[in-house]
Amino acid sequence: MPEFDKIVIFGVGLIGGSFALALKKAGVVGEIVGFGRSIATLTEAEKLGIIDRIGIHPGQECADADLVLLATPVGQMPAIMERIAPYLGAQTLVTDGGSTKSDVVAAACAAFAEKVGRFIPAHPIAGAENSGAAAARAELYAGKKVVITPLPENTRLDIARVRSAWEWCGAEIHELPPEKHDRVFAAVSHLPHLLSFALVHGLAVREDAELFFSYAASGFRDFTRIAASHPEMWRDICLSNRAALMTELDRYRAQLDEIRTALSTANGERLEAIFASARAARKDWGKQ
């Protein structure tokens, strides 16, 4: 008897598809039903064995599901929540894979109302620059962090059930309040993506862009790898977490201003001090 008889996934690309493959590999799910905006993607996911079948009516499928995963861009989640809220079964739990949490929690409170305790927010800290069903892989979450941001209305038993699903994927589970989650990830995830997109775009719109790209080597490739990420997903993330992200962007601009001042005044001692501090912090983090 599998731990989860039926799981419904909205969004069967990298995040949702990898979740499905990992649970199938672990042998803990009986059936996985997929929903999405593109019939081509859903058909591909079915052919790849990510889902067992394509869902037709979200309400009917969610009524007897053990777990529903929202793995779409965060901007799509409120509409999905509103659509499935009236049909949630008595034992159905809902979780998500969104990179922002405060906005998703607010949408869940509005859509699920007195049923909001059935929604256990989560954020898997794993990904790749490629997206879509073909990018999904069962090992994506192995050894990676998943942050659960519990609500006061969640029971420990329901949180444990969602934890279990991610643990079967091989993930390490952590917990943070939604607001602290968004503040942390604005700095260590959302800002780096914003900077990477900005650098590549800034070069791409130059008249002699091909010249610059032709000489770009491994350092540029490493720094800008994440600029190949899904534009719609990152648009939604940036807008959803814009207050915290703007705070971090202002901090970064202040750091750039300090470096610019050191350059303009030929203050090599200050530059070296900044670089040495950054190097030490990066090496310490790399040992973790």
Side-chain angles (χ1 to χ4, degrees):
M1 186 80 175
E3 182 172 336
F4 301 94
D5 288 332
K6 178 181 178 182
I7 291 178
V8 175
I9 298 178
F10 289 85
V12 293
L14 176 68
I15 299 300
S18 296
F19 183 79
L21 289 175
L23 294 181
K24 283 183 168 228
K25 184 178 180 179
V28 295
V29 59
E31 180 185 40
I32 295 181
V33 181
F35 285 92
R37 292 184 299 177
S38 167
I39 189 63
T41 298
L42 289 168
T43 301
E44 182 180 25
E46 190 175 29
K47 288 181 179 178
L48 292 171
I50 295 172
I51 59 176
D52 296 302
R53 59 186 176 84
I54 300 170
I56 297 175
H57 190 286
Q60 291 178 349
E61 299 294 355
C62 291
D64 63 347
D66 295 305
L67 184 65
V68 177
L69 172 67
L70 308 183
T72 64
V74 290
Q76 297 176 29
M77 290 183 187
I80 296 172
M81 290 175 178
E82 290 178 6
R83 189 171 182 185
I84 67 175
Y87 305 100
L88 294 182
Q91 304 303 317
T92 303
L93 298 179
V94 182
T95 189
D96 76 306
S99 295
T100 56
K101 294 272 73 79
S102 297
D103 61 314
V104 173
V105 169
C109 289
F112 296 135
E114 72 280 358
K115 298 179 183 177
V116 74
R118 310 255 204 94
F119 178 67
I120 296 90
H123 175 201
I125 316 304
E129 61 269 28
N130 296 321
S131 58
R137 51 191 179 88
E139 299 78 21
L140 181 67
Y141 303 115
K144 302 295 176 61
K145 293 182 176 69
V146 168
V147 181
I148 292 178
T149 61
L151 307 180
E153 296 86 352
N154 296 149
T155 68
R156 294 313 301 179
L157 182 61
D158 288 344
I159 294 171
R161 191 125 166 87
V162 171
R163 286 179 65 103
S164 177
W166 287 110
E167 286 171 345
W168 279 115
C169 294
E172 301 174 2
I173 312 302
H174 299 257
E175 292 189 14
L176 284 174
E179 297 79 9
K180 182 174 287 189
H181 167 281
D182 289 353
R183 184 161 53 87
V184 168
F185 284 92
V188 300
S189 176
H190 308 163
L191 179 63
H193 278 80
L194 197 69
L195 301 178
S196 185
F197 282 125
L199 177 59
V200 175
H201 179 263
L203 291 177
V205 297
R206 296 190 186 192
E207 290 185 2
D208 50 353
E210 291 184 6
L211 175 65
F212 287 91
F213 285 120
S214 70
Y215 285 100
S218 59
F220 181 84
R221 187 179 300 277
D222 291 343
F223 184 77
T224 62
R225 175 186 61 81
I226 52 179
S229 300
H230 197 290
E232 180 186 5
M233 180 181 76
W234 280 99
R235 175 203 67 193
D236 286 356
I237 290 170
C238 289
L239 291 175
S240 297
N241 201 26
R242 62 186 180 275
L245 182 53
M246 287 175 67
T247 296
E248 293 304 325
L249 187 58
D250 287 343
R251 287 177 181 268
Y252 191 77
R253 289 176 66 177
Q255 180 71 79
L256 288 179
D257 286 342
E258 183 179 1
I259 291 174
R260 190 181 192 284
T261 298
L263 282 173
S264 67
T265 58
N267 189 342
E269 182 178 352
R270 182 57 188 149
L271 282 177
E272 185 175 355
I274 293 172
F275 296 166
S277 175
R279 178 176 186 265
R282 178 61 174 80
K283 287 172 72 73
D284 286 344
W285 174 72
K287 295 175 184 176
Q288 296 179 14

